[in-house]
Amino acid sequence: MGYVRLGDVAIERNVGNRLYITCIVKGVDVRPMKSGGESMLFIMKDKDIEYEARVFSVTQDTKDLMKNGCVYDITVDVRPYDKGKDGISCIVENGGIVLSTVKPESFVDWIDDFNVYYDKLSKMMAFVSDSKCGQIACTIINKYWDKFSKWPAATGMHHTSFGGLLMHTACVAEGCYNSGMHYNDIYGSTFINLKLLVSSALLHDVMKTAELDVDMAEGKVEYSTRAGLESHIMAIMIEVRMVAKELGFGDATEVLELEHCLAAHHGQLEYGSPIAPSTPEACILNIIDTEDAEMWRYHKAFKNMAEHESKTEWIHGNIKVYYRATIGDNGMDKI
């Protein structure tokens, strides 16, 4: 039998078929079954392509074999399953997993056009650099630059490619700038404090560098031990207060306003924010952050979809539907 890379197969188009796939594995998790015994869940990954797979009545040999960040040749039976991610279920038998000789590095996914997002980020940092909030933002980004410039933004929900944290930050900062300019045009130039807003956008996810543990050689991304004790929201608020004091303006009102934007950027208490947005800057940051994460997921879903097609994904107990509308003529100039 010939194994093919996961990225070269459209799994959802092969319902009812048996496939022979080479991929890297992450998120290995063994769980008890209601009927007795255990099942194993894991993510099959090839660059930015991911599918969840399951082994029922998993044996000890299989548990010993499966390690995060390793590459395997896997025999997969694809079945329809409404509650499964992508509306399918990938079933693997205990004997259907063999350690591959392919190197893990070839499966690692980097964002496209890194320099484009680097330039966007640099422009936003230059824009805020003469403000107190901007000095704090630039200091903290430079402090964590080595990880910040390479790491993904999350383990699974959005911008999971390497470089994704920089990409997401650059897009959110630029989106906040554009939104702030728009509303200043409508309500007056002092309505939105643009430098406060953009500074908060630059900082909102920086402490993912502490919340995540990343093995770049194997493409492995997991939550760190520190993540069990504090979130990236808590960590950035502590960092801002410390750096503001070092820069000599720890008591400035702007610092408290910056902290509020960061504390509220998840929007709701149940999403991890200790407070809901109370300023238009905090509100815009929450909206643009959510929007950018959503658009990344749509972009990822659309890669193997034609217009008028849809696919489903099981997220946090709910079915998420991605539908690709009629592809329009977007060749016009800006209005």
Side-chain angles (χ1 to χ4, degrees):
M1 68 191 73
Y3 288 89
V4 296
R5 286 187 60 137
L6 176 64
D8 296 330
V9 180
I11 296 283
E12 61 273 13
R13 297 180 185 273
N14 280 278
V15 176
N17 295 332
R18 171 165 287 186
L19 302 176
Y20 301 94
I21 291 167
T22 301
C23 63
I24 197 168
V25 161
K26 71 171 190 175
V28 177
D29 184 24
V30 177
R31 303 177 183 180
M33 298 192 306
K34 291 181 180 180
S35 58
E38 296 175 316
S39 68
M40 174 185 284
L41 288 172
F42 60 92
I43 302 297
M44 303 184 296
K45 182 175 175 64
D46 184 356
K47 296 189 180 294
D48 64 340
I49 304 297
E50 295 183 358
Y51 292 93
E52 186 177 81
R54 184 188 295 268
V55 182
F56 289 104
S57 299
V58 62
T59 64
Q60 188 61 48
D61 285 345
T62 300
K63 288 192 285 186
D64 292 341
L65 175 65
M66 293 292 279
K67 306 294 181 185
N68 288 319
C70 292
V71 179
Y72 298 91
D73 295 328
I74 303 177
T75 303
V76 179
D77 290 319
V78 185
R79 302 174 185 173
Y81 181 49
D82 290 342
K83 294 184 178 181
K85 188 176 183 290
D86 305 306
I88 59 175
S89 179
C90 295
I91 306 300
V92 179
E93 296 181 358
N94 282 287
I97 306 171
V98 180
L99 194 63
S100 175
T101 59
V102 181
K103 299 294 184 182
E105 304 91 87
S106 67
F107 291 86
V108 173
D109 173 39
W110 277 87
I111 62 169
D112 295 327
D113 304 319
F114 178 92
N115 289 335
V116 170
Y117 301 107
Y118 174 82
D119 289 344
K120 289 179 184 291
L121 185 84
S122 298
K123 288 177 182 177
M124 292 295 105
M125 291 176 69
F127 170 69
V128 301
S129 61
D130 62 348
S131 67
K132 292 177 180 177
C133 292
Q135 290 176 54
I136 294 171
C138 293
T139 299
I140 293 174
I141 288 175
N142 287 330
K143 178 179 178 180
Y144 292 100
W145 179 256
D146 187 55
K147 293 180 179 179
F148 174 80
S149 61
K150 300 183 179 92
W151 284 19
T155 60
M157 288 301 292
H158 69 96
H159 294 82
T160 55
S161 305
F162 283 103
L165 180 54
L166 184 148
M167 176 186 179
H168 174 59
T169 302
C171 291
V172 171
E174 185 179 64
C176 283
Y177 174 83
N178 291 335
S179 181
M181 287 288 288
H182 172 70
Y183 286 108
N184 278 353
D185 285 343
I186 294 173
Y187 298 121
S189 61
T190 61
F191 179 65
I192 300 295
N193 182 333
L194 275 177
K195 295 191 177 182
L196 166 64
L197 173 58
V198 173
S199 296
S200 68
L202 289 169
L203 287 175
H204 80 285
D205 272 354
V206 168
M207 295 312 294
K208 293 287 186 76
T209 55
E211 192 173 60
L212 302 176
D213 277 338
V214 177
D215 185 331
M216 295 190 64
E218 296 184 350
K220 185 165 60 177
V221 183
E222 298 176 332
Y223 281 103
S224 66
T225 301
R226 183 172 172 178
L229 302 175
E230 66 176 5
S231 68
H232 67 282
I233 294 177
M234 296 168 62
I236 191 57
M237 293 176 67
I238 294 169
E239 194 78 18
V240 164
R241 192 160 296 185
M242 180 177 66
V243 171
K245 186 176 181 179
E246 291 172 354
L247 293 174
F249 37 78
D251 296 329
T253 303
E254 294 98 311
V255 177
L256 184 60
E257 294 165 347
L258 176 62
E259 289 177 0
H260 172 74
C261 290
L262 296 169
H265 84 263
H266 279 189
Q268 301 180 47
L269 304 186
E270 57 265 40
Y271 294 161
S273 276
I275 193 169
S278 300
T279 67
E281 292 84 6
C283 183
I284 290 173
L285 175 59
N286 167 240
I287 291 169
I288 300 298
D289 180 34
T290 302
E291 176 185 84
D292 190 60
E294 281 286 313
M295 292 306 104
W296 183 88
R297 288 196 289 271
Y298 274 102
H299 171 72
K300 185 177 177 181
F302 281 5
K303 285 193 173 181
N304 293 319
M305 291 170 58
E307 60 181 354
H308 309 147
E309 284 190 346
S310 66
K311 67 184 297 186
T312 59
E313 185 176 36
W314 194 253
I315 300 179
H316 298 319
N318 295 297
I319 291 180
K320 169 71 174 178
V321 178
Y322 301 92
Y323 174 82
R324 188 160 196 180
T326 302
I327 299 173
D329 178 10
N330 296 322
M332 67 179 72
D333 294 333
K334 293 182 179 179
I335 297 174

